PDB file of all heavy atoms in Angstrom:
ATOM      1  N   ASP A 493       6.920   6.037   9.635  1.00 80.00           N
ATOM      2  CA  ASP A 493       7.649   7.272   9.903  1.00 80.00           C
ATOM      3  C   ASP A 493       8.836   7.058  10.795  1.00 80.00           C
ATOM      4  O   ASP A 493       9.629   8.000  11.077  1.00 80.00           O
ATOM      5  CB  ASP A 493       6.751   8.326  10.534  1.00 80.00           C
ATOM      6  CG  ASP A 493       5.513   8.674   9.640  1.00 80.00           C
ATOM      7  OD1 ASP A 493       5.632   8.440   8.398  1.00 80.00           O
ATOM      8  OD2 ASP A 493       4.509   9.137  10.156  1.00 80.00           O
ATOM      9  N   GLU A 494       8.960   5.868  11.306  1.00 80.00           N
ATOM     10  CA  GLU A 494      10.046   5.566  12.347  1.00 80.00           C
ATOM     11  C   GLU A 494       9.958   6.569  13.501  1.00 80.00           C
ATOM     12  O   GLU A 494      10.987   6.993  13.988  1.00 80.00           O
ATOM     13  CB  GLU A 494      11.417   5.512  11.705  1.00 80.00           C
ATOM     14  CG  GLU A 494      11.527   4.335  10.722  1.00 80.00           C
ATOM     15  CD  GLU A 494      12.831   4.356   9.948  1.00 80.00           C
ATOM     16  OE1 GLU A 494      13.743   5.144  10.273  1.00 80.00           O
ATOM     17  OE2 GLU A 494      12.959   3.560   9.012  1.00 80.00           O
ATOM     18  N   ALA A 495       8.722   6.865  13.865  1.00 75.00           N
ATOM     19  CA  ALA A 495       8.552   7.835  14.966  1.00 75.00           C
ATOM     20  C   ALA A 495       9.071   7.270  16.288  1.00 75.00           C
ATOM     21  O   ALA A 495       8.941   6.090  16.568  1.00 75.00           O
ATOM     22  CB  ALA A 495       7.036   8.121  15.136  1.00 75.00           C
ATOM     23  N   GLN A 496       9.748   8.122  17.039  1.00 77.00           N
ATOM     24  CA  GLN A 496      10.358   7.679  18.303  1.00 77.00           C
ATOM     25  C   GLN A 496       9.339   7.994  19.433  1.00 77.00           C
ATOM     26  O   GLN A 496       9.330   7.261  20.422  1.00 77.00           O
ATOM     27  CB  GLN A 496      11.680   8.467  18.596  1.00 77.00           C
ATOM     28  CG  GLN A 496      12.710   8.234  17.500  1.00 77.00           C
ATOM     29  CD  GLN A 496      13.129   6.828  17.367  1.00 77.00           C
ATOM     30  OE1 GLN A 496      13.562   6.198  18.398  1.00 77.00           O
ATOM     31  NE2 GLN A 496      13.077   6.233  16.214  1.00 77.00           N
ATOM     32  N   THR A 497       8.659   9.030  19.289  1.00 75.00           N
ATOM     33  CA  THR A 497       7.697   9.422  20.356  1.00 75.00           C
ATOM     34  C   THR A 497       6.350   9.712  19.814  1.00 75.00           C
ATOM     35  O   THR A 497       6.173  10.087  18.631  1.00 75.00           O
ATOM     36  CB  THR A 497       8.190  10.665  21.150  1.00 75.00           C
ATOM     37  OG1 THR A 497       8.516  11.693  20.179  1.00 75.00           O
ATOM     38  CG2 THR A 497       9.425  10.388  22.001  1.00 75.00           C
ATOM     39  N   ARG A 498       5.309   9.651  20.638  1.00 74.00           N
ATOM     40  CA  ARG A 498       3.971   9.923  20.303  1.00 74.00           C
ATOM     41  C   ARG A 498       3.265  10.371  21.602  1.00 74.00           C
ATOM     42  O   ARG A 498       3.294   9.630  22.554  1.00 74.00           O
ATOM     43  CB  ARG A 498       3.283   8.655  19.706  1.00 74.00           C
ATOM     44  CG  ARG A 498       1.809   8.529  19.677  1.00 74.00           C
ATOM     45  CD  ARG A 498       1.134   9.234  18.532  1.00 74.00           C
ATOM     46  NE  ARG A 498       1.453   8.764  17.188  1.00 74.00           N
ATOM     47  CZ  ARG A 498       0.996   9.335  16.111  1.00 74.00           C
ATOM     48  NH1 ARG A 498       0.204  10.399  16.233  1.00 74.00           N
ATOM     49  NH2 ARG A 498       1.307   8.892  14.905  1.00 74.00           N
ATOM     50  N   ARG A 499       2.697  11.555  21.527  1.00 73.00           N
ATOM     51  CA  ARG A 499       1.986  12.097  22.726  1.00 73.00           C
ATOM     52  C   ARG A 499       2.932  12.044  23.968  1.00 73.00           C
ATOM     53  O   ARG A 499       2.501  11.713  25.056  1.00 73.00           O
ATOM     54  CB  ARG A 499       0.744  11.319  23.079  1.00 73.00           C
ATOM     55  CG  ARG A 499      -0.316  11.429  21.930  1.00 73.00           C
ATOM     56  CD  ARG A 499      -1.427  10.398  22.130  1.00 73.00           C
ATOM     57  NE  ARG A 499      -2.421  10.477  21.009  1.00 73.00           N
ATOM     58  CZ  ARG A 499      -3.214   9.409  20.724  1.00 73.00           C
ATOM     59  NH1 ARG A 499      -3.154   8.282  21.407  1.00 73.00           N
ATOM     60  NH2 ARG A 499      -4.080   9.567  19.770  1.00 73.00           N
ATOM     61  N   GLY A 500       4.226  12.392  23.732  1.00 75.00           N
ATOM     62  CA  GLY A 500       5.147  12.574  24.839  1.00 75.00           C
ATOM     63  C   GLY A 500       5.627  11.256  25.489  1.00 75.00           C
ATOM     64  O   GLY A 500       6.343  11.266  26.429  1.00 75.00           O
ATOM     65  N   LYS A 501       5.212  10.112  24.894  1.00 78.00           N
ATOM     66  CA  LYS A 501       5.693   8.836  25.397  1.00 78.00           C
ATOM     67  C   LYS A 501       6.474   8.106  24.302  1.00 78.00           C
ATOM     68  O   LYS A 501       6.291   8.491  23.095  1.00 78.00           O
ATOM     69  CB  LYS A 501       4.510   7.895  25.791  1.00 78.00           C
ATOM     70  CG  LYS A 501       3.662   8.405  26.931  1.00 78.00           C
ATOM     71  CD  LYS A 501       2.892   7.316  27.620  1.00 78.00           C
ATOM     72  CE  LYS A 501       2.009   6.572  26.617  1.00 78.00           C
ATOM     73  NZ  LYS A 501       1.250   5.472  27.262  1.00 78.00           N
ATOM     74  N   PRO A 502       7.295   7.098  24.585  1.00 80.00           N
ATOM     75  CA  PRO A 502       7.907   6.356  23.527  1.00 80.00           C
ATOM     76  C   PRO A 502       6.793   5.763  22.656  1.00 80.00           C
ATOM     77  O   PRO A 502       5.807   5.343  23.107  1.00 80.00           O
ATOM     78  CB  PRO A 502       8.685   5.210  24.247  1.00 80.00           C
ATOM     79  CG  PRO A 502       8.821   5.687  25.609  1.00 80.00           C
ATOM     80  CD  PRO A 502       7.657   6.603  25.938  1.00 80.00           C
ATOM     81  N   SER A 503       6.959   5.892  21.325  1.00 78.00           N
ATOM     82  CA  SER A 503       5.966   5.292  20.417  1.00 78.00           C
ATOM     83  C   SER A 503       5.955   3.809  20.547  1.00 78.00           C
ATOM     84  O   SER A 503       6.905   3.202  21.069  1.00 78.00           O
ATOM     85  CB  SER A 503       6.237   5.697  18.986  1.00 78.00           C
ATOM     86  OG  SER A 503       7.446   5.052  18.560  1.00 78.00           O
ATOM     87  N   ALA A 504       4.889   3.114  20.181  1.00 79.00           N
ATOM     88  CA  ALA A 504       4.747   1.722  20.365  1.00 79.00           C
ATOM     89  C   ALA A 504       5.861   0.926  19.698  1.00 79.00           C
ATOM     90  O   ALA A 504       6.406  -0.015  20.225  1.00 79.00           O
ATOM     91  CB  ALA A 504       3.374   1.205  19.868  1.00 79.00           C
TER      92      ALA A 504
END
Side-chain angles (χ1 to χ4, degrees):
Chain A
D493 300 337
E494 293 173 10
Q496 302 297 306
T497 50
R498 159 81 63 185
R499 295 167 184 158
K501 295 201 305 179
S503 67

